[in-house]
Amino acid sequence: MKSALPEQRDAQGGTAAARLQGWLTSASKAWVRVKAPTGVLDKDAEVMRWLDDATKRMQTAFLQSNLYTVLPTLYSDMGVFGTGVMLQKEDPHSIFRFYPFPIGTYA
């Protein structure tokens, strides 16, 4: 199989990254939700309010972090190489911060 040229890899990875981010983790849509396991807790109104609040706080924290600037790098690597790695660490200014690992820098 013939390898793609670097320009083609960038274009293919960029297109895949944009599609994945728009479909899976768009900053304009609620893509994450905290839920209770099925059973008694998912019927309790107070529990459901708490879970809804936790979801909103997570979405706000993601917006205040650098997640949406790191995800294109991650998705591009996934689109071209089939894998991608990022690290999440605590951050005093935005709760947490994300760090992408370039291909070839991890094993």
Side-chain angles (χ1 to χ4, degrees), residues 92-107:
H93 304 292
S94 64
I95 302 176
F96 42 72
R97 187 159 185 80
F98 296 88
Y99 300 90
F101 286 83
I103 294 294
T105 63
Y106 55 90

Side-chain angles (χ1 to χ4, degrees), residues 3 7 20 24 30 32 55-56 82-83 90 94:
S3 177
E7 307 84 45
L20 284 170
L24 296 175
V32 64
T55 296
K56 289 175 184 171
T83 190
E90 288 185 43
S94 64

Side-chain angles (χ1 to χ4, degrees), residues 33-77:
R33 183 172 179 191
V34 182
K35 294 174 65 175
T38 306
V40 177
L41 290 178
D42 66 340
K43 311 266 189 284
D44 185 306
E46 187 176 341
V47 170
M48 297 309 291
R49 277 193 299 276
W50 188 91
L51 293 171
D52 187 52
D53 184 55
T55 296
K56 289 175 184 171
R57 287 174 185 243
M58 286 178 62
Q59 291 167 342
T60 299
F62 288 148
L63 286 169
Q64 292 173 347
S65 76
N66 67 330
L67 175 65
Y68 295 107
T69 57
V70 169
L71 282 175
T73 300
L74 181 75
Y75 288 148
S76 179
D77 287 350

